[in-house]
Amino acid sequence: MPFSACMRDCYDTCSMISEVKNGRLVVKGNPRHPITEGFLCPKGALLPRWFHAEDRLKVPLIRAGKRGSGKFREASWAEAINLVAQKLRETIDEYGSESVLVYQYAGDRGIVNYAFPLRLFHYLNTAMLDYGICDRAGQEALRDVYGTAIGMDPEELKRQKLIVYWGINAFWTNLHGFLLAKRYDLEIWTVDVIRTETAKRSEKFFQIMPDTDVLFALAVAKLIIENELYDKDFVRENVYGFKEFKNYVIKLDLDFVERETGLSCEEIEEFAFDFAEKKGVIHIGYGFQRSLGGGEAVRAISILPALVGHRFGFIYDMKTIDKSYAEGAFLRTKPAKRIPQMKLAEYIEKGEIKFLYVYNSNPLASLPNQNRLRRALIENDVFIVTHDIFLTDTALFSDVVLPANTFFERLDIVDSYYHRHVALNEPVAELYGKSNSEVTRLLAKALGIENPHLYESDEEVIRKVLEINNLSWKELKAKGFVKVPEKPRKWETPSGKIEFYSQRAAERGLSPFPEYKPPQGNYPLRLLSPTHRMTITSQYHNTYGIIDPSLYMNPDDAEKREICDGDTVEVFNDNGRIKTTVKLSDDVPKGVVLLYKAFWPSLLGWNVNFLTSDKTVEKYGNGSAYHSTWVDVRKV
């Protein structure tokens, strides 16, 4: 049976075995894979429903009404491709190549499907995205301290005693990793604002207020240092700026930390003493670093494993292979203009984007401040092309929509940002649409481009990427996955050590030590928008239909507003307003409300991103600040 790999934007990156029986796709986890271990998460188990979905796009569409009206006419592939090529030429001729932006992200993480289309846009010298939507602030923070965001191989957890899930609901978003920790018999703690399903399954839960992670981590560091619980030999040999950091945290007032975080001094002490004794590892989540204070928080948290003697005692990213050949930036003849992902609306408003090519992404569901973005697209002259499996909100706003196929219909490989395995994905069946690489070749031909790099086959690209990374095509074909060996590692910081005093941060105008800045908003309630268990950002809403649009609210906040469980309410701020029903829950602290993110507005009528902030954290790589959103709620 063919090997498949789940290409979703998910930690686990499962290796699967697939086949078609009686005309229906059947999938199961690859039992030989050390992370997948023969089972799939609830989303993965439903992949056949997604593959066979009746609402998959089957033919190209050309807009026949006002933008966003959903009025299209069907077209042949030849007509659609020729129209896209014609508009691309006209835009470049009139406005220059940098007026063209390719907007893509990790809706499909297959290395060929993700990267190969970028070759065409590099060849044309167009503008490119600077990706800040997901994990950018944390990446920058970890580079400040360790010189890399690549942490511990999760398979090495078998040698550990304790894992702390800090700001990650792993039971929902990293199920195989959570069960791996269970299998290795690790003690599990959670630090989070919300009492998540992970928190409920943990031995200890530390519930903090938003944006106070940095204070909590610094307080823990203070207690570990004051009580001489740190690994003195490791710190002396491998840490830069320890004395200065010690003098910095020693001044921290624990009573102040208690008031700000919501944790008692006893809880802070419990964490510090037990963490030091058990030499804990921390899985640092992505959610909380998508805030104005997120980078500072990750810096502070990442110091704790080093204090207790870990060289790389965190889990964050695991980007371990060179995929640059697939992308083909070598085809450029001038440096790329990089447009921050979170500032798409701003650049459209300024008239700097005239042609937008979208694939592997649904920005009209996933980007913040949707009212502004949609208004910008309607009021400005932008030609939009979307290549997708479904008629998404982004597709509804497009001039040309091209049907995409699924990863069950093409050859590809995929790496993981959690573990060190690369998985093989072989075609199982063929239903509708074309792959991203197929469309790229068609566009290159329609544009009259003869460069051979734009016509390489998927297998040729895959073999070259594997060769560059010294990985075996033969082993991959035999097992369905291959592990990337870990090379000797060092800290790529200016000092060559773990930097508690970060020279890199200071060069960007930041404090060399993590700083706490009390969060401030124009509205009384902090809005958090984590992912739902049965979606991955906007994916699967239309096929699985398992969503939860309710606003979760603390009973005390509801009582002040005379709101009861099940009431219809309006949630509002300066960006917009939405109506939904309330669920009261003590899992949400006072002063905080929760809406799950990025459901399809075309199906639900709204999503949380009509409220979320489109601010960026400039000194942390223009990282996103979704969770620095403030709202109020009233009964209607």
Side-chain angles (χ1 to χ4, degrees):
M1 292 188 292
F3 291 111
S4 299
C6 184
M7 301 290 186
R8 296 285 77 93
D9 190 6
C10 169
Y11 289 101
D12 299 22
T13 314
C14 289
S15 174
M16 303 183 292
I17 298 172
S18 306
E19 63 178 328
V20 174
K21 288 184 178 180
N22 302 318
R24 300 292 296 182
L25 178 69
V26 177
V27 298
K28 62 180 181 180
N30 185 344
R32 297 177 65 186
H33 193 282
I35 306 296
T36 305
E37 280 218 312
F39 77 96
L40 302 175
C41 76
K43 295 183 289 287
L46 290 177
L47 280 169
R49 186 192 298 184
W50 171 77
F51 176 71
H52 291 288
E54 287 297 320
D55 58 339
R56 282 186 59 178
L57 289 169
K58 301 172 179 63
V59 296
L61 303 173
I62 295 175
R63 182 163 64 87
K66 290 183 178 180
R67 189 176 304 284
S69 66
K71 293 182 180 179
F72 296 93
R73 65 174 178 86
E74 294 185 356
S76 67
W77 273 98
E79 181 187 7
I81 291 292
N82 287 334
L83 175 59
V84 174
Q86 175 193 333
K87 289 293 185 180
L88 197 47
R89 281 194 213 97
E90 290 175 355
T91 304
I92 292 173
D93 289 346
E94 185 171 354
Y95 300 104
S97 61
E98 290 184 342
S99 68
V100 174
L101 174 66
V102 53
Y103 187 106
Q104 48 79 242
Y105 202 55
D108 186 305
R109 294 187 61 257
I111 288 174
V112 176
N113 213 50
Y114 178 94
F116 188 87
L118 299 177
R119 288 187 173 194
L120 174 62
F121 296 93
H122 281 307
Y123 179 89
L124 295 171
N125 291 310
T126 72
M128 310 296 283
L129 271 188
D130 182 18
Y131 309 106
I133 197 169
C134 182
D135 56 352
R136 172 61 63 80
Q139 285 182 346
E140 295 298 322
L142 288 164
R143 291 189 187 111
D144 288 339
V145 180
Y146 290 88
T148 179
I150 298 173
M152 176 181 287
D153 180 346
E155 291 176 75
E156 293 301 309
L157 289 174
K158 59 191 171 190
R159 297 181 174 88
Q160 307 302 321
K161 297 177 181 178
L162 166 67
I163 185 166
V164 181
Y165 287 114
W166 199 310
I168 172 175
N169 187 6
F171 187 76
W172 277 15
T173 62
N174 179 216
L175 178 60
H176 291 84
F178 182 84
L179 295 179
L180 187 73
K182 286 283 191 183
R183 188 165 75 248
Y184 291 156
D185 199 28
L186 270 71
E187 186 172 339
I188 295 175
W189 299 356
T190 293
V191 180
D192 212 316
V193 175
I194 308 298
R195 188 182 298 274
T196 63
E197 290 303 314
T198 304
K200 294 172 184 176
R201 289 166 170 78
S202 299
E203 279 82 3
K204 293 182 181 180
F205 173 47
F206 300 86
Q207 188 168 25
I208 61 173
M209 293 304 295
D211 270 349
T212 63
D213 308 77
V214 60
L215 266 186
F216 181 30
L218 290 175
V220 170
K222 169 189 170 78
L223 290 170
I224 289 174
I225 293 170
E226 280 184 340
N227 291 279
E228 298 190 351
L229 302 173
Y230 61 96
D231 188 323
K232 297 179 182 62
D233 291 339
F234 180 86
V235 167
R236 182 177 59 254
E237 294 171 10
N238 301 300
V239 169
Y240 174 85
F242 174 74
K243 182 179 179 181
E244 294 86 347
F245 179 75
K246 176 181 178 179
N247 292 335
Y248 176 66
V249 297
I250 221 78
K251 302 170 187 175
L252 192 60
D253 180 358
L254 290 185
D255 291 333
F256 173 72
V257 176
E258 186 177 46
R259 289 193 301 272
E260 293 292 292
T261 63
L263 294 171
S264 68
C265 285
E266 289 77 17
E267 288 176 298
I268 299 167
E269 289 173 357
E270 178 186 12
F271 188 107
F273 282 81
D274 286 2
F275 183 85
E277 179 189 350
K278 294 166 183 173
K279 299 186 182 298
V281 171
I282 302 178
H283 189 152
I284 304 171
Y286 293 162
F288 72 92
Q289 55 89 53
R290 297 176 193 142
S291 66
L292 295 175
E296 297 293 297
V298 172
R299 262 210 289 166
I301 294 162
S302 72
I303 285 170
L304 301 181
L307 271 178
V308 298
H310 288 294
R311 289 178 55 80
F312 297 95
F314 62 90
I315 294 173
Y316 191 74
D317 278 346
M318 189 56 72
K319 294 167 184 173
T320 55
I321 67 169
D322 181 355
K323 298 174 274 190
S324 59
Y325 180 78
E327 178 176 335
F330 52 80
L331 294 169
R332 298 194 76 88
T333 56
K334 63 180 182 180
K337 174 183 178 180
R338 294 281 174 179
I339 293 178
Q341 192 170 13
M342 307 304 293
K343 296 187 177 183
L344 178 63
E346 178 183 327
Y347 278 78
I348 292 170
E349 290 165 350
K350 293 191 295 186
E352 295 188 32
I353 299 171
K354 296 295 184 180
F355 187 107
L356 188 63
Y357 187 91
V358 182
Y359 73 96
N360 280 3
S361 189
N362 185 11
L364 268 73
S366 59
L367 278 179
N369 202 349
Q370 281 290 314
N371 283 318
R372 180 184 183 186
L373 176 59
R374 289 162 184 252
R375 186 166 56 248
L377 290 173
I378 290 171
E379 294 178 354
N380 292 272
D381 180 24
V382 185
F383 191 85
I384 306 170
V385 179
T386 294
H387 185 203
D388 209 306
I389 301 166
F390 300 101
L391 194 63
T392 62
D393 281 76
T394 305
L396 286 170
F397 269 66
S398 299
D399 296 279
V400 178
V401 182
L402 304 173
N405 63 12
T406 68
F407 51 77
F408 291 108
E409 297 163 276
R410 56 178 171 78
L411 179 69
D412 213 334
I413 58 173
V414 64
D415 65 340
S416 169
Y417 52 85
Y418 172 67
H419 55 74
R420 301 187 66 88
H421 298 273
V422 172
L424 174 65
N425 184 80
E426 298 173 302
V428 182
E430 186 175 334
L431 291 183
Y432 317 112
K434 297 183 186 298
S435 71
N436 292 337
S437 58
E438 287 180 280
V439 170
T440 303
R441 297 181 193 103
L442 289 174
L443 282 173
K445 185 175 181 181
L447 289 165
I449 301 171
E450 296 182 354
N451 190 295
H453 288 293
L454 296 174
Y455 299 96
E456 277 188 289
S457 71
D458 294 349
E459 184 171 334
E460 286 175 315
V461 175
I462 289 167
R463 283 177 173 268
K464 185 68 174 178
V465 169
L466 292 173
E467 179 186 338
I468 290 169
N469 289 279
N470 295 313
L471 299 175
S472 168
W473 172 248
K474 183 178 180 181
E475 182 183 355
L476 188 63
K477 290 279 286 183
K479 295 195 320 185
F481 63 93
V482 60
K483 186 166 186 178
V484 181
E486 187 168 10
K487 299 174 183 176
R489 302 187 63 189
K490 60 182 180 179
W491 302 294
E492 298 174 13
T493 57
S495 65
K497 295 184 176 184
I498 301 170
E499 295 203 353
F500 286 13
Y501 180 108
S502 174
Q503 299 176 79
R504 183 176 181 267
E507 288 171 1
R508 299 203 308 283
L510 295 167
S511 165
F513 307 116
E515 277 192 323
Y516 171 66
K517 294 181 181 179
Q520 295 179 328
N522 295 329
Y523 290 86
L525 298 171
R526 185 69 172 269
L527 173 63
L528 303 183
S529 50
T531 192
H532 186 263
R533 184 182 189 183
M534 292 305 295
T535 61
I536 298 181
T537 307
S538 71
Q539 294 183 91
Y540 302 138
H541 176 183
N542 61 313
T543 51
Y544 296 174
I546 305 170
I547 66 167
D548 182 357
S550 301
L551 178 80
Y552 284 82
M553 190 176 198
N554 185 276
D556 287 351
D557 288 326
E559 185 178 2
K560 291 177 185 176
R561 293 163 176 80
E562 298 182 345
I563 293 170
C564 298
D565 192 67
D567 280 351
T568 299
V569 295
E570 183 178 65
V571 190
F572 61 94
N573 62 14
D574 293 343
N575 292 337
R577 55 195 64 232
I578 62 98
K579 288 183 180 179
T580 188
T581 56
V582 160
K583 287 185 179 178
L584 302 185
S585 174
D586 289 315
D587 293 339
V588 179
K590 288 186 286 186
V592 175
V593 289
L594 179 149
L595 282 167
Y596 290 113
K597 71 176 181 179
F599 300 133
W600 286 25
S602 56
L603 296 180
L604 186 60
W606 56 272
N607 78 14
V608 71
N609 287 324
F610 284 82
L611 301 167
T612 48
S613 171
D614 58 0
K615 292 179 180 178
T616 62
V617 191
E618 293 184 2
K619 291 186 178 180
Y620 280 95
N622 281 309
S624 63
Y626 286 91
H627 298 299
S628 290
T629 297
W630 298 80
V631 298
D632 205 348
V633 180
R634 59 183 165 223
K635 184 176 179 179
V636 295

